[in-house]
Amino acid sequence: MCERKVTGTSDWTKYEIVLDVPDSASKIGFGAILSGEGKLWLDAVAFDVVGNDVSSTDCPCSQRHREPAEPLLPSNLNFEQV
């Protein structure tokens, strides 16, 4: 939701995230991040299969969109200044 950030105080609101999941996927991880003060509540989380007529909400900040593909490997393990 990098381009659809939720800010401030609001009543309960339904948010949907639509992503393409490869047929070879065996697990799906999810979570939420609260930045700053406040409270974050989740309720009635659901995973649904939708048709190709539903557009993905994936965003450019996703690892999938980085070019060239950057390896997800640890770096600077000696904590030296770069």
Side-chain angles (χ1 to χ4, degrees):
M1 298 220 4
C2 62
E3 294 178 344
R4 301 184 294 145
K5 290 182 175 135
V6 180
T7 60
T9 301
S10 64
D11 291 330
W12 280 102
T13 305
K14 180 178 182 178
Y15 294 95
E16 296 180 331
I17 300 172
V18 180
L19 299 172
D20 294 321
V21 179
D23 290 336
S24 60
S26 62
K27 297 178 184 178
I28 296 175
F30 74 97
I33 298 173
L34 172 65
S35 178
E37 297 180 15
K39 295 179 182 178
L40 181 144
W41 297 79
L42 295 176
D43 190 24
V45 174
F47 293 90
D48 298 314
V49 176
V50 297
N52 292 330
D53 57 321
V54 179
S55 298
S56 171
T57 60
D58 203 358
C59 61
C61 63
S62 167
Q63 178 68 29
R64 287 180 289 288
H65 296 285
R66 295 184 186 162
E67 293 185 29
E70 299 172 15
L72 295 174
L73 301 173
S75 61
N76 195 17
L77 296 177
N78 294 326
F79 299 99
E80 309 240 349
Q81 288 184 330
V82 179

